Amino acid sequence: MGSPGLINRNNGQQQQQQRLGITEPISLGGPTDYDVTKTRELEKFLQDAGLYESQEEAVSREEVLGRLDQIVKNWVKVISRAKRLNEQLVQEANAKIFTFGSYRLGVHGPGADIDTLCVGPRHATREEDFFGELHRMLSEMPEVTELHPVPDAHVPVMRFKFKGVSIDLLYAKLSLWVIPEDLDVSQDSMLHNADEQTVRSLNGCRVTDQILRLVPNIQNFRTTLRCMRFWAKRRGVYSNVSGFLGGINWALLVARICQLFPNALPNMLVSRFFRVYTQWRWPNPVMLCAIEEGSLGLPVWDPRRNPKDRYHLMPIITPAYPSMNSSYNVSSSTLRIMTEEFQRGNEICEAMEVSKAEWDTLFEPFSFFEAYKNYLQIDINAENEDDLRQWKGWVESRLRQLTLKIERHTYNMLQCHPHPGEFSDKSRPLHCSYFMGLQRKQGVPVNEGEQFDIRITVDEFKNSVNMYTLWKPGMEIRVTHVKRRNIPNFVFPSGVRPSRPSKATWDGRRSSEAKVANNSSADKIEGKGVLDGSDEGKKRKRIDDDTENNLRNPKGYAAMPPSGGEVHEGSPPVGNVSSCSTQSDLVITNSLGELKGEKADNNETESLNNSQNLAGIFAQNGELDGILRCNLPDKGLPANNDTSSSKEAEKLAIDKIMSGPYVAHQALPQELDELEDDFVYTNQGKGSEWAAKGSPVESSLSNTAVEQTNESIAAVTCSNGAGPSAYLYPNGGSEELEPAELMAPLFNGISSAPPVAQPKPLIRLNFTSLGKAAGKST
């Protein structure tokens, strides 16, 4: 049984043990025989999947941690003597190793790295002593390999392998002369007079410890979290840097479900995870406990005071002071993808309840390279391994910026799905590739021949990447557009391309059902059906998303071209010609029928319609602590959750948890998100994901920075005005996205508007037939 939670430090122990979290549980029901059976099946599935380390490996990790603790204790005595402290202080000098992240939570797998924190006294500096003397000592040890210090990261870290065990070592310098062996880093006093790097480094341990205190049953929490981490990786939504969720985010989401169903076994917790988060109305925040103001004056997540906090799309708040949003990297596109995955998981769990699915169905991997017809391929290379490692870290931190720019510059009509991993071609050393799936936004009218010109957007991205302060000759980046049929073989297992998409998977069956449903209902839809250009020639439902687009684009969507003639969105008048180059182009047509987007994008519409100015919620509730408090029945819901009435009761309880007004965002969040990238990734490395979250620096954006970002995206529109034929590639291969110098087009052949400042190119629409323009079918 887990330790009692901390809701209000002034409350008595009895009240703390009664409830964990900021609301009453949804259900206090215990497990049924079905839950016991399915939980055993789940545990066996996870065991067979190789998610548990062997006893020998566990012992080896313990030995490594013990040896590392001895090393830092010896290190602090060495530097104390070097600084000529008196002998008593030298003898008392101490440093201590703490663990956090997946290892501390008990959900790590074989070969996983160990997130560690070295806590040292006030006279042991980070720059000279930790990255200097300790680095020297480690480099001289034969057990230590692949030693890589990253002192300039947002969270400075030293990475290495000790007897084959991967270690990420952070450092926190406290204001104490002597570090006691029984030090409790969860105490807020540890942050007193601490520098920003120390606060960030301590955050990982403090958040991990608080999570373990705030869950009712640690073992059930661990099994459920291990399951959800594996599921997220299989479905391609486990990556904080890509705009999805990382380890800390999934831990917080699972912990909240454990609070809402404190007596449930993992089988029920997994099912309720999908049920709750399918119904969750983002951006309602997920919080394990009330946010404490603290006495040290550190900034906390508070949309009432921090305007930037109001634009977070999927707030998941850390429980340790200073509480911050751990998921600010999430974009509208990645939120849409995760929402779809939550819905899929919920459907499978409901099918399992009626014996129509098994655990392996839930964990079927997402077929990323079958899901879309168009992709962006980002290739990078460097001259040696060290350069490539640094270059990869920098490029990975900027890929999310490319997603945001594409979506913003196309009014969110072209949606991106970043693959969270990297791929290497064995035939090309010192090289790796990243991929993004592209699809036209579902549920809006499709106009034949409509094209998206994102050359300038990609050029902007490449320019920003090449501004890397540690750039060296040989560090190169190339971005190309590739069709599904031209995806390189090295991305597939064993380098072999699958012959045809599998129809036996859950996704395959759902895709086939969706096609049948779309074809049968196409004639019943009011208005004329529109071909989406896919190979099957299926029709899509036409949905009016003007309201949604206006929410996303405060400037309005009045400039969208009519469905006839040729309109170049945001084009400058004749004579106001921009200077872009003309070598090649990316022309993405409307033939974007994908497996992932079979159904209309109602999820995103609902999310946007529910989007709210969180400061308004706090203003109504009057205090931060009370944002999600509600008076649910003390006894919770009945134990029998298989009935429809029980599901409806749970739905009402979830709605009550998220009660509050919903006000549309007043500005686009993407621009602020890009600024956050600049703060999160400094020079070389990302540091530790667990420690990086909740940093006070994350909230310190200046108005000047925002204004500069707004200015940087203001430029004249580039377009050639000659239709798409000059940029079509008949062989269907990949084309390099290079800058192009284009002529400004006429608007209906006449320019009547005076010269005005124009935004960057957003969408270039051409309504001529692609087949005719290209001289052949694409």
Side-chain angles (χ1 to χ4, degrees):
M1 182 67 67
S3 302
L6 187 59
I7 303 303
N8 187 326
R9 294 185 177 182
N10 295 324
N11 289 352
Q13 290 294 324
Q14 183 177 1
Q15 181 177 349
Q16 293 183 23
Q17 293 176 3
Q18 286 180 351
R19 188 184 73 188
L20 295 173
I22 58 174
T23 65
E24 298 291 343
I26 290 179
S27 172
L28 295 176
T32 63
D33 291 341
Y34 170 83
D35 291 324
V36 173
T37 300
K38 296 302 288 186
T39 294
R40 288 173 180 167
E41 292 178 3
L42 174 61
E43 291 172 344
K44 184 179 186 305
F45 182 90
L46 299 178
Q47 187 76 42
D48 293 344
L51 299 186
Y52 295 88
E53 67 179 354
S54 65
Q55 183 62 30
E56 293 76 14
E57 186 175 0
V59 171
S60 175
R61 288 176 183 271
E62 291 291 339
E63 292 176 350
V64 166
L65 289 174
R67 180 75 178 102
L68 185 59
D69 191 61
Q70 294 175 357
I71 292 172
V72 298
K73 291 182 186 309
N74 180 53
W75 158 73
V76 79
K77 293 184 183 299
V78 168
I79 62 171
S80 296
R81 285 196 176 94
K83 295 177 185 292
R84 299 186 178 181
L85 300 183
N86 62 57
E87 189 60 27
Q88 180 180 353
L89 282 177
V90 171
Q91 293 302 320
E92 294 177 349
N94 190 33
K96 187 171 174 59
I97 291 292
F98 294 86
T99 62
F100 60 99
S102 62
Y103 183 82
R104 175 72 177 91
L105 290 177
V107 296
H108 60 287
D113 59 358
I114 305 179
D115 293 312
T116 57
L117 170 70
C118 174
V119 176
R122 61 188 303 169
H123 60 276
T125 65
R126 178 176 291 101
E127 292 78 13
E128 295 181 3
D129 298 327
F130 181 77
F131 284 107
E133 180 61 23
L134 181 59
H135 176 268
R136 183 193 63 78
M137 292 173 63
L138 291 173
S139 65
E140 295 176 352
M141 297 179 179
E143 312 102 306
V144 176
T145 58
E146 300 180 27
L147 181 60
H148 178 55
V150 193
D152 297 325
H154 186 63
V155 183
V157 60
M158 195 138 53
R159 295 190 173 101
F160 55 93
K161 287 188 176 180
F162 197 101
K163 293 184 176 180
V165 177
S166 297
I167 301 289
D168 282 1
L169 181 61
L170 313 183
Y171 180 65
K173 184 184 74 169
L174 303 187
S175 59
L176 304 174
W177 282 105
V178 177
I179 303 298
E181 274 299 304
D182 60 351
L183 180 71
D184 183 5
V185 294
S186 66
Q187 297 297 317
D188 291 351
S189 59
M190 296 298 101
L191 304 177
H192 185 66
N193 292 332
D195 56 43
E196 292 178 349
Q197 291 93 337
T198 291
V199 172
R200 298 185 203 124
S201 298
L202 286 168
N203 190 63
C205 286
R206 290 166 56 82
V207 168
T208 305
D209 290 347
Q210 191 73 331
I211 290 175
L212 293 175
R213 292 189 183 101
L214 290 172
V215 293
N217 186 300
I218 291 180
Q219 186 56 48
N220 289 340
F221 164 75
R222 284 173 172 165
T223 301
T224 307
L225 178 56
R226 194 182 292 273
C227 169
M228 296 312 306
R229 285 163 55 95
F230 182 55
W231 172 85
K233 292 174 182 178
R234 297 280 282 184
R235 300 303 298 174
V237 291
Y238 189 101
S239 173
N240 186 281
V241 70
S242 298
F244 296 106
L245 302 181
I248 180 176
N249 311 123
W250 292 110
L252 292 171
L253 290 182
V254 170
R256 184 64 181 125
I257 299 301
C258 291
Q259 290 180 341
L260 294 175
F261 302 89
N263 298 321
L265 290 181
N267 164 70
M268 182 177 175
L269 291 173
V270 170
S271 172
R272 296 311 182 265
F273 179 97
F274 291 116
R275 183 178 298 179
V276 169
Y277 292 122
T278 294
Q279 299 176 47
W280 198 271
R281 292 195 301 272
W282 305 104
N284 276 291
V286 172
M287 304 193 299
L288 300 186
C289 60
I291 295 178
E292 297 181 3
E293 291 291 336
S295 59
L296 301 179
L298 297 175
V300 298
W301 187 80
D302 186 353
R304 298 172 305 178
R305 305 174 186 173
N306 308 320
K308 180 179 63 66
D309 291 347
R310 303 171 193 170
Y311 303 107
H312 293 163
L313 300 181
M314 193 181 188
I316 303 172
I317 310 305
T318 56
Y321 176 77
S323 294
M324 300 299 292
N325 177 25
S326 65
S327 53
Y328 58 83
N329 269 359
V330 173
S331 68
S332 59
S333 185
T334 53
L335 175 58
R336 170 184 56 82
I337 293 165
M338 287 187 286
T339 301
E340 292 175 357
E341 288 298 334
F342 291 158
Q343 290 177 335
R344 173 189 177 273
N346 187 51
E347 292 172 0
I348 293 176
C349 286
E350 290 182 349
M352 290 174 62
E353 294 177 1
V354 293
S355 301
K356 292 185 177 180
E358 298 297 334
W359 284 116
D360 57 350
T361 306
L362 181 66
F363 297 101
E364 287 174 356
F366 175 59
S367 301
F368 181 81
F369 292 106
E370 296 176 5
Y372 302 99
K373 290 192 131 187
N374 293 270
Y375 296 84
L376 283 186
Q377 178 176 341
I378 300 96
D379 295 285
I380 65 171
N381 55 270
E383 288 192 348
N384 56 64
E385 291 289 348
D386 287 339
D387 287 357
L388 182 61
R389 181 172 54 248
Q390 293 185 20
W391 188 228
K392 280 170 57 178
W394 170 250
V395 172
E396 287 174 1
S397 75
R398 313 309 295 174
L399 287 177
R400 180 173 158 275
Q401 188 182 64
L402 176 59
T403 299
L404 295 173
K405 285 180 177 294
I406 290 174
E407 293 181 346
R408 183 173 64 239
H409 292 176
T410 61
Y411 290 125
N412 292 289
M413 296 293 287
L414 184 61
Q415 296 174 333
C416 302
H417 182 169
H419 190 287
E422 64 182 68
F423 298 88
S424 298
D425 185 354
K426 294 181 180 179
S427 65
R428 301 176 61 186
L430 302 176
H431 161 271
C432 70
S433 301
Y434 305 89
F435 291 85
M436 290 184 182
L438 300 174
Q439 73 171 6
R440 188 187 190 281
K441 181 178 179 180
Q442 302 301 302
V444 295
V446 182
N447 300 291
E448 186 180 6
E450 178 180 330
Q451 299 170 342
F452 298 95
D453 183 358
I454 59 173
R455 289 172 302 158
I456 309 303
T457 304
V458 169
D459 192 47
E460 271 188 12
F461 165 73
K462 291 166 63 177
N463 288 337
S464 69
V465 168
N466 287 322
M467 292 175 65
Y468 181 39
T469 56
L470 298 180
W471 184 89
K472 297 178 182 178
M475 292 181 175
E476 298 176 348
I477 181 170
R478 183 173 183 264
V479 183
T480 55
H481 166 221
V482 294
K483 298 292 184 66
R484 180 169 58 198
R485 60 179 176 270
N486 299 111
I487 291 292
N489 289 336
F490 65 78
V491 306
F492 300 105
S494 304
V496 179
R497 181 187 299 270
S499 56
R500 292 185 64 84
S502 173
K503 302 291 185 181
T505 64
W506 178 275
D507 295 335
R509 292 192 297 270
R510 284 294 181 267
S511 176
S512 299
E513 293 171 2
K515 291 176 184 177
V516 172
N518 286 339
N519 289 331
S520 63
S521 62
D523 295 335
K524 301 178 182 179
I525 299 174
E526 180 180 358
K528 189 175 180 180
V530 184
L531 291 177
D532 72 347
S534 64
D535 294 337
E536 295 81 12
K538 58 181 178 291
K539 297 182 179 180
R540 292 201 181 274
K541 184 179 180 181
R542 189 168 181 172
I543 299 177
D544 183 6
D545 283 342
D546 289 344
T547 302
E548 174 184 349
N549 290 325
N550 287 332
L551 281 175
R552 225 175 252 288
N553 179 22
K555 299 176 183 178
Y557 217 75
M560 277 299 294
S563 57
E566 180 175 342
V567 179
H568 295 267
E569 172 64 31
S571 300
V574 173
N576 188 13
V577 181
S578 62
S579 58
C580 309
S581 52
T582 64
Q583 294 187 357
S584 61
D585 186 15
L586 169 65
V587 176
I588 301 175
T589 73
N590 268 338
S591 57
L592 292 173
E594 304 87 0
L595 176 68
K596 185 77 175 175
E598 289 296 342
K599 53 188 176 182
D601 196 5
N602 295 326
N603 303 332
E604 186 179 8
T605 304
E606 180 180 355
S607 174
L608 285 166
N609 290 336
N610 287 333
S611 293
Q612 56 191 321
N613 185 324
L614 292 172
I617 294 180
F618 293 146
Q620 172 167 324
N621 288 289
E623 59 177 349
L624 189 61
D625 290 359
I627 176 174
L628 295 181
R629 295 191 183 279
C630 62
N631 297 318
L632 295 179
D634 291 338
K635 295 183 179 180
L637 297 175
N640 183 9
N641 291 300
D642 295 329
T643 65
S644 59
S645 60
S646 178
K647 291 180 180 179
E648 184 63 25
E650 286 187 8
K651 184 179 186 301
L652 294 174
I654 296 169
D655 288 341
K656 195 168 185 179
I657 288 175
M658 295 181 293
S659 59
Y662 294 91
V663 181
H665 289 308
Q666 297 178 352
L668 285 173
Q670 287 90 333
E671 295 172 9
L672 289 170
D673 288 338
E674 290 187 14
L675 286 173
E676 287 175 332
D677 279 341
D678 296 331
F679 282 91
V680 170
Y681 196 103
T682 305
N683 287 339
Q684 293 190 48
K686 299 184 290 295
S688 168
E689 170 211 330
W690 281 78
K693 301 306 161 192
S695 164
V697 176
E698 162 189 337
S699 295
S700 59
L701 294 175
S702 66
N703 292 332
T704 302
V706 176
E707 291 170 0
Q708 290 174 347
T709 300
N710 291 334
E711 292 173 1
S712 69
I713 64 171
V716 295
T717 301
C718 296
S719 178
N720 68 346
S725 57
Y727 302 106
L728 290 173
Y729 289 76
N731 62 1
S734 63
E735 62 268 23
E736 171 73 1
L737 305 183
E738 294 293 347
E741 182 174 349
L742 306 171
M743 298 299 293
L746 296 175
F747 184 82
N748 291 336
I750 301 174
S751 175
S752 58
V756 292
Q758 298 289 336
K760 276 199 64 64
L762 298 173
I763 305 178
R764 191 187 68 181
L765 301 174
N766 187 292
F767 296 94
T768 59
S769 168
L770 273 177
K772 294 178 181 179
K776 61 169 68 179
S777 173
T778 59

